[in-house]
Amino acid sequence: MQSYRAFSRSERGSRHMKTGIVCQDFALATDGVPGCSIAIAADGHGGADYFRSERGARFIVQAAATVLMEFASETSLVQLRDYATRNKLMREVFQKIHAKWLELIQADMFDYPFSETQMENVSLKCRRQYLDGKNVERAYGTTVIAALVTDKYWVGIHQGDGRCIAVRTDGTCEQPIPWDTRCEGNVTTSVCDEDVVNEFRHCFSEQLPAAVFLCTDGVEDAYPDLDGAYGFCQVLSSIFLSDGMPGLERAVAEYLPNISRRGSGDDVTVAALFCPDRLEPITEVLKIEERLRRAATTWEQLNRDCSEHEHKFSHVKNTLADQRAEVTRLEKLIDLRKQELGQLQERIRQMEAQAEAKNKELLELSEKLEKAQAEAGETENRDQWMGEEDKRLHTELEQATAEVEGLMDAADEARKQIAQKKRERGEPVEDENYGEDFTEPWAFVNQRSGRNPPDKG
């Protein structure tokens, strides 16, 4: 039998180290069981509702190891070669793994039951279920990848994300277990799913791999595509061949923290089985693959740089064309504004001349206004004086008129008395109707008072 060497390592993610979260990955790889080698990796979900997922990951690894060892000792190649029988057996394997996982959870619940303080951040729905003893396995949610290699066949089991990568005996890589398209981004299927027995995937082959790797999604996240993860596995295979297990352990201890920092910051785990006899013939291939990968990486980077440069160059050319067009537009606009400025300056000169003439006119009008105001003041004073003088003269005239009229009345009365005395003496009396004479007091009074004198005819 061509024996396999087992290796596994988990590293706490850089993001989890910053936030104080424990490592939720767990892995196991063993080559000490007669007739078989086993590698298993699990990734606990984390998150408030899965607050015991690091235990769930450990429990599923323990359950898978126990069941796969039993499977290796009880199952023949003949059984597995029949498609229907193989599917039935693999389903039974996963059912046993899941049942064993639930048993370990129940034992853990018995020793460490849930408490309110442990579920401070758990969603209300899950908290109610957990306290009622329902769906408690959800708190232990995890993914699992397992590989069993015997001297005649090997099988793989997978539920959730992460990758199972096999290095073929020609140095190339493949993903032998079918991929679950529901595992995208932060979404994954889980061992705690209700229909988990119908969701798991598996693979079987009599073509034994040179190496098989089980990597949690923290590894894959560090690479832009699956080829990067393939290259990672090829590099580890080459290091194992050249430096042995101690060299591999040193390299992985250095690689995994860098992978976590370069990727999503999640926990990173690698579990692997290496067959030195199958890897030895492809040593040169692995070295060439590594050089090819580096050359391809360099080429891809140069290609990206070239494309980026072409994009930038095209952008610069477009920008230059736009700027030249803008310069032309601005030059035309400047010429137009210069013309408008000249017109405005001419208008300003005209308006300044008009303003100067208006200012001169304003000064003349101001002088006339001052003179007119002064004359108006004098005339107003004169008008006031003449009004007062008119009142005084009319008052005197009225007084004189009253005096004249009184004297005239007195004169009439005196003449009447004289005429009466003449009558009494029998003397003749003159006619009382005198002719008009402007020397008479009445004529005088009429002239001075502004009355119209009698018409002399």
Side-chain angles (χ1 to χ4, degrees):
M1 173 183 175
Q2 296 177 327
S3 62
Y4 284 77
R5 296 291 307 280
F7 171 84
S8 66
R9 187 179 184 93
S10 294
E11 288 287 344
R12 189 180 178 195
S14 60
R15 176 164 47 85
H16 288 182
M17 294 178 68
K18 292 179 181 178
T19 56
I21 299 175
V22 299
C23 181
Q24 294 158 343
D25 283 5
F26 193 81
L28 178 147
T30 177
D31 51 26
V33 180
C36 72
S37 299
I38 295 173
I40 309 166
D43 180 2
H45 300 327
D49 290 349
Y50 310 94
F51 64 94
R52 287 192 178 178
S53 62
E54 76 281 1
R55 298 189 190 187
R58 187 171 73 251
F59 294 162
I60 197 66
V61 169
Q62 294 172 356
T66 301
V67 174
L68 287 175
M69 289 179 187
E70 293 175 354
F71 179 84
S73 64
E74 298 172 356
T75 307
S76 67
L77 177 59
V78 175
Q79 292 174 295
L80 293 173
R81 282 176 174 170
D82 180 73
Y83 179 80
T85 303
R86 181 173 67 247
N87 284 344
K88 178 178 179 295
L89 290 172
M90 296 307 297
R91 181 182 179 87
E92 291 174 354
V93 165
F94 196 81
Q95 284 177 326
K96 291 178 182 179
I97 293 174
H98 187 254
K100 185 65 175 177
W101 181 64
L102 294 178
E103 289 177 7
L104 293 171
I105 289 174
Q106 290 302 320
D108 190 63
M109 288 286 296
F110 181 81
D111 293 334
Y112 307 99
F114 291 164
S115 66
E116 286 282 2
T117 55
Q118 290 179 317
M119 294 186 288
E120 290 180 354
N121 299 320
V122 175
S123 65
L124 182 59
K125 177 183 177 181
C126 287
R127 185 185 306 175
R128 289 173 177 172
Q129 290 179 342
Y130 294 166
L131 292 177
D132 290 340
K134 299 177 180 178
N135 297 327
V136 293
E137 66 275 10
R138 183 179 177 85
Y140 295 80
T142 182
T143 65
V144 65
I145 316 172
L148 165 66
V149 181
T150 70
D151 58 348
K152 297 184 182 300
Y153 67 88
W154 81 281
V155 294
I157 295 175
H158 197 173
Q159 172 64 0
D161 54 18
R163 297 285 177 174
C164 173
I165 298 173
V167 178
R168 299 189 187 101
T169 54
D170 63 355
T172 61
C173 293
E174 66 173 342
Q175 181 180 231
I177 303 177
W179 179 246
D180 189 341
T181 57
R182 292 172 296 176
C183 299
E184 294 294 337
N186 292 326
V187 178
T188 180
T189 52
S190 171
V191 179
C192 68
D193 290 350
E194 292 182 1
D195 196 28
V196 62
V197 175
N198 292 322
E199 289 180 350
F200 88 99
R201 296 103 64 202
H202 72 276
C203 69
F204 161 80
S205 177
E206 295 182 54
Q207 298 292 327
L208 299 183
V212 60
F213 292 84
L214 312 178
C215 306
T216 57
D217 65 333
V219 174
E220 181 184 357
D221 291 342
Y223 298 97
D225 50 39
L226 192 56
D227 286 339
Y230 286 169
F232 172 73
C233 296
Q234 289 171 328
V235 168
L236 294 188
S237 299
S238 182
I239 292 173
F240 171 75
L241 281 174
S242 61
D243 301 334
M245 192 62 70
L248 178 66
E249 291 175 350
R250 288 193 299 271
V252 173
E254 179 182 350
Y255 285 172
L256 292 188
N258 291 331
I259 285 175
S260 179
R261 286 191 294 270
R262 193 171 72 233
S264 61
D266 196 4
D267 301 329
V268 285
T269 291
V270 174
L273 298 173
F274 300 95
C275 181
D277 294 336
R278 293 178 181 275
L279 285 172
E280 188 65 34
I282 60 172
T283 301
E284 191 62 29
V285 173
L286 293 175
K287 291 180 180 179
I288 294 174
E289 284 282 351
E290 184 176 358
R291 292 198 300 269
L292 175 61
R293 184 171 49 259
R294 291 176 179 176
T297 300
T298 302
W299 179 85
E300 289 174 357
Q301 184 60 49
L302 290 173
N303 188 51
R304 285 193 295 269
D305 292 344
C306 184
S307 297
E308 184 178 354
H309 178 74
E310 290 177 354
H311 177 72
K312 289 181 179 179
F313 183 56
S314 176
H315 176 70
V316 169
K317 290 180 67 177
N318 292 334
T319 301
L320 179 60
D322 293 341
Q323 289 175 343
R324 286 174 175 171
E326 181 67 6
V327 168
T328 302
R329 186 187 71 82
L330 290 174
E331 287 175 346
K332 292 180 179 180
L333 187 61
I334 288 173
D335 291 339
L336 178 62
R337 293 295 181 265
K338 284 181 178 179
Q339 295 177 7
E340 294 176 349
L341 178 61
Q343 295 172 356
L344 289 173
Q345 289 175 338
E346 180 61 28
R347 287 186 61 189
I348 289 172
R349 286 192 291 271
Q350 294 175 0
M351 293 179 70
E352 286 177 345
Q354 293 176 0
E356 186 176 355
K358 293 294 182 181
N359 189 47
K360 183 177 180 180
E361 182 181 354
L362 177 62
L363 291 174
E364 293 175 354
L365 290 174
S366 298
E367 292 175 357
K368 290 180 180 180
L369 174 61
E370 291 178 359
K371 183 177 180 181
Q373 287 175 338
E375 292 176 351
E378 293 176 358
T379 303
E380 184 176 354
N381 293 336
R382 184 178 178 186
D383 178 71
Q384 183 178 0
W385 176 81
M386 292 185 70
E388 293 174 352
E389 185 68 11
D390 184 69
K391 289 179 181 179
R392 184 185 67 77
L393 291 175
H394 276 81
T395 300
E396 293 179 356
L397 177 61
E398 289 175 357
Q399 293 175 352
T401 300
E403 182 179 2
V404 170
E405 288 178 348
L407 292 173
M408 290 176 63
D409 291 340
D412 287 341
E413 185 63 26
R415 282 193 293 273
K416 289 179 181 180
Q417 290 179 359
I418 292 173
Q420 182 64 29
K421 289 179 179 180
K422 284 182 177 184
R423 290 188 191 96
E424 291 177 353
R425 288 194 305 267
E427 295 177 0
V429 180
E430 293 85 351
D431 187 2
E432 294 178 359
N433 295 323
Y434 299 103
E436 292 182 342
D437 188 353
F438 284 104
T439 62
E440 290 290 327
W442 280 104
F444 174 75
V445 171
N446 288 335
Q447 259 188 335
R448 298 297 294 178
S449 65
R451 300 168 182 169
N452 292 329
D455 188 5
K456 292 185 179 182

